[in-house]
Structure formats: structure tokens, C-alpha cells
Amino acid sequence: MATKAPTQAQQGVTKSLSGSNAAFKDKGKPMELRLSNMVAAKAISDAVRTSLGPRGMDKMIQTSKGETVITNDGATILKSIQALHPAAKMLVDLSAAQDVEAGDGTTSVVVLAGSFLGAAEKMLQKGIHPTIIAESFLKASAKAVEYLTEISTPVDLNDKGSLLRAASTSLNSKIVSQYSSTLAPIAVSAVTRLITPTSSNVDLRDIRIVKKVGGTIEDTELVDGVVLNQNVVVSAGGPTRIEKAKIAIIQFQLSAPKPDMDNTVVINDYRQMDKVIKEGRQYILNLCKRIKKANCNVLLIQKSILRDAVDDVSLNFLKRLNILVVKDVERDEIDFLSKSLACKPIADIEASQKTSLECERSLHDALCVVRCLVKKRALIGGGGAPEIHVSRLLSQYAQTLKGMEAYCLQAYAEALEVIPTTLAENAGLNPIAIVTELRNRHALGERNAGINVRKGLISNILEEDVVQPLLVSTSAVELATETVCLLLKIDDYVQSR
């Protein structure tokens, strides 16, 4: 009797697809590791997501010293999180990188990274190779930057109105949003004073923010000069006000020298003691005379931990020489003061506190926004308008592609919608209805349509003066994509000794 030949499956032979459309079956450990990285990173993203936008929630952080910090600034929140997982630490570093590059958008960049990771996870589950996903995401990122640049509006740095609108938009998402009309002009004036016709960047270390408890935020003012935290020394009755000041900074002490810590001087004879005191007075007097000889009438003295910066003897001499004294200037202030006062330091001769801290962080972000406009002189709308616009164009571009790349670009485009969705959620609106209407308005050609969270509707975001620097958005997209691609390419985790 004839028997039927066994099939390939019965013989243990399996057929597999070949080419770029073949499903990727990873070994157990690398897939588990990727998913572990994604879960850890998305947990960080979810932690700051509720802080996005002008209606975002604030976080209360308790430091290791027991102090309490209240903020909704993404970089500050993530800096305080004690992340243990390596992938979670990468998102903390991502926020810090955005803070260095643009100074604003630190929450947006982490939320975007979390959304891209969610899209990548779906692609992995469909059997697409991580390298293909990473390459497709980088291609999508380059296209997104191109589309954002197309819709941006060039800015002239002499147009103070545009700079004010950008600074106000940054401040409107902070705790101090009601004071944006006070703080925004200060931020713009401070940065524009440092700009030269050829400037391509501004060093914000040349702008110093001094916090004082007492009064209100409305009392904040821009001082064209230097403000010190230290008080004038008045114990010896020296001058407290000097006009036409000639300022000197010294990094040594105007007090009698002391022996090293390991050495002790023992004096038994009172005549020797008188001699030591007399020599000490003469030493200080010589120093004071040389300071006066330099035509100095205001003296700033660096703080010292080894011995007193000044003593009663030196203060008495300085009073007679009519020199105003400010002591205990911190070491990290010396460079700023030297630059501001155009002098070289001489090392030797031969509100409630919490509100003021948050105000400082908010003002720093506003300063960074104006600096961004110096680096890349273009503005785009806010309110989720650019993200929806780029998402639509990327979806259309994905339809012209074939194979797995088209799937990946479509997933990337959908992931960009996390920004308008989160803005709507945090404002207490219906995210599905709002984002659907936003898509429709953009499909009808209203590319500046965005979410007006204050009125709870879709409107022309440029008419509402909700704008942000182009650099903030392009930097956020590029940095978030690069971080996600880096996480996708990791297939093992080795702990070094």
C-alpha cells in the first residue's frame, strides 16, 4: 500500500520570510531588557507629564536636607528624582541636555521621549527589527525639523514685541504666571543688553539673579550694575555710601597672620607679646596704605574659612582712610564681579524663600527663551499647533514609503500628538474631542490652529500671542529621538566592578 510523503512541517522544517519585511524574532533576554528599559523610561516620562503646559500641576519635592521645593519645571523635578535604573537616568540626562541647549522645553522633551518609546514598543511587538525602527525614527526626526523650520517666523532682535511674547509664553506655564507682565520685560531687557550685532549666543552667567525674602514679586527690578547679598560693614563706623566709587576686589585677609593649624606659638614674656601685637598692627596698616594708594574707596573682600576677613584693627584703619568695606564675598561670585566691574581680583599684595526660588527658576527659563532667539532667530506657535502640523505631514510622507519604514514613520507621527493630548488633559478638557477638532482645523489649512487652554477651545495661537523659539521645539524633537534610538539599540546590560 502506498504511503503519503510527510509534509515539511512534519519533517521539522519551517518556512520563514526573507528580506526587509521578515518578522524579527529576538532571543528572550534582549527583548526583556528592551522592555525593561522602556518601562523604566516611561515611568519617568509619566511622572512629569502632568506638569506640562500652563494648566499643569506642580510637584512638591522634599530634599535630603528636609527642605521642601515646589515647582513644575521639568529639569528641577528630574534633578531631584533619585533614579536607579540606567534607562531612567538617561531620561534625567535628556532633560538636563535640553536645559543646556535651549533652557526651556525640559518637560516636553521627556514627554516626547516617553511617547516615542511607546510607539517603538508597538513596532517591536509587530516583529520589526530595532535597527530599522531606530533608522526610521531618525529619518522622521530630520523631516520633523524640516517641517518646523518651514512654518517658523523669522525674528528681528530689535523687535521687542516678539521677544516679549516668547518670554511671556514661557512664564505662563510657571507658578509665577500672574507676574509674567513684570518678569518678561526684565528678562528681555537683561538679555538684549548683552547682545552685539554679531552675537550668536549669550552667556547667561553675565546676568545675576539676587533673591531677597520680603516684598512681592512685583518689586522685582532690573539693576544696571551689581547687587550684592552682603551688607556693608558698619561696626567700626566706616562710610556706608560712596559716590564715584573706585572698587577693589581682594582675595586675601586684612587681619594678623596666624600659624599653620599644626603649629602653636607660645609666648611667656609680655614684652614679646607687645612686640607681636605691634608687628601685627604695622602689617595691617601697610596693607591698608597700599590699598588706599591704589585710589580705592570701596573694598570687596573674599570670604575666608581659615581666618577672619577683617578684624577691628583693620576696620579702624579703613574707616580713617574713608574706605567702604563689604566682606564675605563668595568665591563663585568673584568671576562675575570681576567681569561686571572690569577689575582683576588681587590674591596677594605684595518673599517666602520657596516663592523666590521658583521665581528665580522661572526667570531663568524666560532668559533662556530670549537667548534661544539669539541663537536661532525664528519663532513658532505653541499650544500643540506645530506638533499636529508635523504629525499630519509625516503621516502623508509615510504613505509614499513602502515596507516597515512606512509603519515606523506613521507610529512616530502619531506619537507627536502626545503634546496636544497632554495639554488638553492637564487643562481638564476632553483630549479626544480637542485633538480630533485640532486635526480637522489643520486639514482645512489652518496650520496655526492650537489649543487655547485658558478658554478651552481651538483658536489661532499666534493671535493669542502663544509663541516659542524654534530652537526649543527642534532641540526637543532631536534629543528625544536620539535618546529613544540609543535605548532601542541596547540589547544587554553589564554591571562593571
Side-chain angles (χ1 to χ4, degrees), residues 224-424:
D224 191 6
V226 174
V227 177
L228 295 169
N229 275 314
Q230 296 81 6
N231 294 321
V232 174
V233 179
V234 294
S235 55
T240 57
R241 179 182 174 85
I242 296 283
E243 291 185 9
K244 296 181 180 177
K246 292 186 177 179
I247 304 167
I249 302 173
I250 61 171
Q251 292 180 292
F252 59 90
Q253 295 75 42
L254 289 178
S255 56
K258 290 184 178 179
D260 293 337
M261 289 183 181
D262 298 334
N263 299 325
T264 307
V265 177
V266 180
I267 301 171
N268 295 321
D269 186 355
Y270 72 90
R271 285 173 297 182
Q272 289 290 333
M273 189 67 202
D274 285 345
K275 192 176 178 183
V276 168
I277 293 170
K278 188 178 177 182
E279 286 291 333
R281 286 174 65 86
Q282 190 60 44
Y283 169 80
I284 294 168
L285 180 59
N286 289 339
L287 289 177
C288 292
K289 281 181 177 177
R290 294 186 72 175
I291 289 168
K292 186 63 180 176
K293 196 176 176 181
N295 292 326
C296 154
N297 55 13
V298 175
L299 185 64
L300 308 182
I301 307 174
Q302 183 178 307
K303 190 174 185 178
S304 171
I305 56 170
L306 297 176
R307 68 180 201 256
D308 296 334
V310 284
D311 59 14
D312 292 341
V313 175
S314 58
L315 284 174
N316 189 37
F317 288 145
L318 291 168
K319 182 191 92 170
R320 290 180 188 177
L321 296 168
N322 199 36
I323 295 174
L324 183 148
V325 181
V326 178
K327 66 173 186 174
D328 293 343
V329 176
E330 296 291 345
R331 184 182 291 271
D332 55 359
E333 292 178 319
I334 294 292
D335 284 344
F336 172 79
L337 290 171
S338 304
K339 209 172 189 181
S340 303
L341 303 172
C343 60
K344 187 177 178 182
I346 300 169
D348 195 3
I349 296 186
E350 287 179 327
S352 75
Q353 188 69 15
K354 293 178 184 61
T355 308
S356 64
L357 284 169
E358 181 60 19
C359 181
E360 180 191 18
R361 283 188 288 268
S362 304
L363 195 52
H364 175 264
D365 281 0
L367 291 169
C368 288
V369 164
V370 184
R371 184 190 64 176
C372 284
L373 292 172
V374 177
K375 290 170 83 172
K376 191 178 277 191
R377 300 180 186 190
L379 278 172
I380 56 172
E387 287 80 13
I388 286 287
H389 176 75
V390 171
S391 177
R392 277 190 65 256
L393 292 179
L394 276 176
S395 294
Q396 290 169 9
Y397 176 66
Q399 289 168 10
T400 65
L401 301 173
K402 293 179 181 178
M404 295 194 179
E405 194 177 36
Y407 276 111
C408 295
L409 258 79
Q410 184 61 43
Y412 187 96
E414 290 170 5
L416 282 168
E417 292 181 0
V418 71
I419 298 292
T421 304
T422 305
L423 285 172

